[in-house]
Amino acid sequence: MPETTAHVTAAEISRIAGVTRATVSNWRRRHADFPAPSGGTESSPLYDLGAVRTWLGSRGHTQDADPREELRTAVRFRAADPEGTAARMAFVLMLARCSPGETAAVAALTDDELAARASEGVAGLLDPAPGPTPASPLFTEVDAATLRALVRCVREEGGPAALAVLAERELEDGAAAGVYGTPEPLARLVAELLPTGAERVLDPACGSGTLLAAAAGRGATTLLGQDSVPVQAQRAAVGLRLAAPRAEVTVRVGDSLRADAFDGLTADAVVCNPPYGDRDWGHDELAYDPRWAYGVPGRSESELAWVQHCLAHLAPGGWAVLLLPPATASRPSGRRIRAELVRGGAVRAVLALPAGAAPPLHVGLQLWVLRSPEPGGPERKSVLFVDTAGSPAPGAGEQAPGPSRTGSSRPPVDWTGLTARTLAHWKAFTDDPDRFAAEPGTARAVPVVDLLDDLVDLTPARQVRASRADVDPAELSTRTETGRRELTEATRSLLDTADITGWTTPGGPARPWRTATASDLARGGALTLLRTVPDAKDRGVSTAAPVLTGADIARGTGPSGDPAELRAEAAPVIAAGDVLVRAIAGGTGPMARVADEQDAGALLGPQVHLLRPDPARLDSWFLAGFVGSEENVAGASTGSTVLHVTPGRLRVPLLPLDQQRRYGEAFRHVHELRARARRAARLAEETAALLTAGLTAGALLPTESASA
């Protein structure tokens, strides 16, 4: 396939080499053999990517580059090329099926040998990737740089990371508005809501295939997907073969509402995160479609069209879980269809998520759990409502996509706790709906007859709110008094910690630092850089050890991740004294911390970097304090929307060990201050909420002194 020579800017050279822009400018001035500009303008020159790589390689600078950034640079300047993208994604599948030795052998080939080997290996893998068939030959010698970047990215970051980079360009150019990704923790929750034994699962708006991959993790053996964006369908087809190599995978391109690729097919379960707010979903041409068994959706009710489309694909008694915007539960234009869905027993539960649990991050989305009616089946007398909106919302630590450069006011989501609470309510409801024990303000099973009013409002917050009858004054008083005592103790502890006097000023300008990068220190043996490489080919760790995640670092909590998401041989074990750094910048909370005895023995999560210092040369708290600073993280991060931290680019001052320990003790004190402030703030919020609930419900009465 034809390809023009890729060009890079000075900024991109700095990211590839893992250095600053100033360093690149210095190279241009000092080294006569630095590649001359091959395009651009005098003020913004462009450089031949191949020549730059050769020059950097001769000086040992290329290994600091983030593999994703290197791949992104290799494909960034190519023209939109759906055929080429399909072939590259198939090459990712080929690499993922190779052993480490085979992959190393591929990387060692010459450019023309690599192109020939890739073309040969990909030829039989293109059927799984829907879309146009690439021309022959699939790859030529000019593709070698891109192929080598793919090899490195797959080896070091995993196949899914390479697929995401390959899809970026075409998604930016042509993806439909209102289409959002599904975070993996949320996808796992969706899959857990499905009954065991659901073997054939359909996702009619599959995107990158995250929901289907989660269903495969729960035992689904036939995965069916469709998406209107070709590159997403290609990505899903390959990604699902990586995540579920034993499953039968079929992915089609097309608009499921207008051109259903699985017309007439019934599945055991349907999962879906459909487009939101789409007024051009086919209202006019689909007005008499047989799928609208519960009513013809209005032009503004595309979500209710997706709900009925999913129900139409279910076998009798089959289950569906959809991620929907909150307006679907309350818009007046949809009340008649909602009434029919409730009256017919199709709606089994509506579960509200915290704002930020999934894009769009400013909206608290909802999970609708549906079940296809069964002839002669039991009467469905109630609907479960669960409101988790009071749970912490996600930041950068637990794979919430798209953290901003300036961070977010939302704390990270506690996916482990949220999932456990939601599933506990769901299991109790499905086991015995008639005896479900309500948790006022959080969960309630509401009789169908109570929902069929003039509004048919299925908003969980409206349905679970506590009534005056739910409040026990004596119990509430005891809880409030306990919270008040704990808050008083936490406040005193915080005041003691805030009494910080262990610093002086330099008496002039800020102290200058002579620094080295973490990569330099690693090459010198002062520390070791480790991280977990995700690989769907061999999921499941045979150990009960928990996994430390980026969210745990941000929240200051112990390891809470799931070991089933890791490869046993690719998950380093954390030791006390290790410095742990979140791999995704942004959000709130600290970026780094020192592993303590609680963390020791846990597995390193896939979005965390581990820096293991030599205690004879580096103090752990000194290292954590500097590598976790906002300025340091910003300088070591790459990306436009999601900022990935390149640990080798983090800079550390070069100080004697005794001075390091003084700084380390100061950073340890700051850590304690932050932890105690976080606890005091949490207790203050909980106590204030209890007091407000008691006063408004009449369970607590203000004393005479309170009004004086």
Side-chain angles (χ1 to χ4, degrees), residues 609-624:
H609 299 296
L610 188 152
L611 284 66
R612 180 165 292 164
D614 177 355
R617 300 173 63 180
L618 280 174
D619 179 81
S620 294
W621 281 101
F622 161 80
L623 180 63

Side-chain angles (χ1 to χ4, degrees), residues 308-454:
Q308 295 188 76
H309 173 82
C310 292
L311 283 168
H313 274 293
L314 286 177
W319 293 85
V321 183
L322 284 81
L323 183 64
L324 299 172
T328 310
S330 59
R331 267 193 304 250
S333 57
R335 65 183 178 86
R336 291 184 180 178
I337 295 178
R338 290 197 300 272
E340 291 304 314
L341 288 167
V342 171
R343 186 178 289 111
V347 179
R348 304 305 299 126
V350 181
L351 318 172
L353 300 170
L361 298 177
H362 64 286
V363 176
L365 300 175
Q366 298 173 355
L367 290 173
W368 283 39
V369 184
L370 310 168
R371 192 172 189 187
S372 176
E374 303 167 274
E379 182 182 1
R380 296 163 188 172
K381 301 177 183 178
S382 60
V383 176
L384 174 67
F385 293 90
V386 179
D387 182 17
T388 67
S391 304
E398 179 82 54
Q399 288 300 147
S404 66
R405 288 184 179 274
T406 57
S408 165
S409 61
R410 292 185 297 268
V413 106
D414 177 11
W415 280 111
T416 302
L418 184 152
T419 300
R421 291 191 299 273
T422 301
L423 294 178
H425 290 308
W426 176 238
K427 184 178 186 303
F429 177 75
T430 53
D431 286 348
D432 192 345
D434 295 333
R435 296 187 180 183
F436 179 79
E439 182 181 335
T442 300
R444 191 184 298 275
V446 180
V448 166
V449 66
D450 292 347
L451 297 172
L452 298 175
D453 55 15
D454 292 340

Side-chain angles (χ1 to χ4, degrees), residues 488-500 669 673 676:
T488 300
E489 294 171 2
T491 303
R492 288 172 180 160
S493 177
L494 174 60
L495 290 173
D496 292 341
T497 309
D499 186 19
I500 306 173
H669 200 102
L673 177 65
R676 294 182 185 186

Side-chain angles (χ1 to χ4, degrees), residues 33 40 64 80 109 145 202 259 274 303 306 364 443 449 522 555 586 608 612 670 678:
D33 61 340
D64 284 338
L109 296 173
L202 167 69
E303 295 85 6
W306 283 102
V449 66
R555 289 194 304 264
V608 182
R612 180 165 292 164
V670 171
R678 188 163 44 231

Side-chain angles (χ1 to χ4, degrees), residues 142-239:
V142 296
D143 295 296
T146 303
L147 296 175
R148 293 191 190 283
L150 275 170
V151 171
R152 185 183 173 213
C153 191
V154 171
R155 290 176 66 182
E156 298 185 24
E157 301 291 336
L163 293 175
V165 174
L166 290 175
E168 280 179 3
R169 171 67 182 273
E170 290 180 59
L171 286 176
E172 290 172 356
D173 289 347
V179 180
Y180 302 103
T182 308
E184 287 190 10
L186 178 54
R188 291 195 294 270
L189 172 58
V190 169
E192 291 284 346
L193 291 168
L194 298 176
T196 55
E199 296 184 354
R200 176 184 286 191
V201 181
L202 167 69
D203 185 345
C206 65
S208 61
T210 308
L211 288 170
L212 288 173
R218 288 269 293 161
T221 56
T222 301
L223 308 176
L224 309 167
Q226 183 171 354
D227 201 89
S228 60
V229 182
V231 71
Q232 286 285 69
Q234 294 163 7
R235 179 181 174 186
V238 175

Side-chain angles (χ1 to χ4, degrees), residues 534-563:
D535 188 339
K537 213 171 36 168
D538 184 19
R539 290 290 179 94
V541 177
S542 57
T543 176
V547 176
L548 188 131
T549 68
D552 297 326
I553 297 174
R555 289 194 304 264
T557 58
S560 63
D562 183 359

Side-chain angles (χ1 to χ4, degrees), residues 174 210 292 300 317 349 429 520 528 652:
T210 308
W292 314 146
S300 62
F429 177 75
D520 292 334
T528 303
V652 182

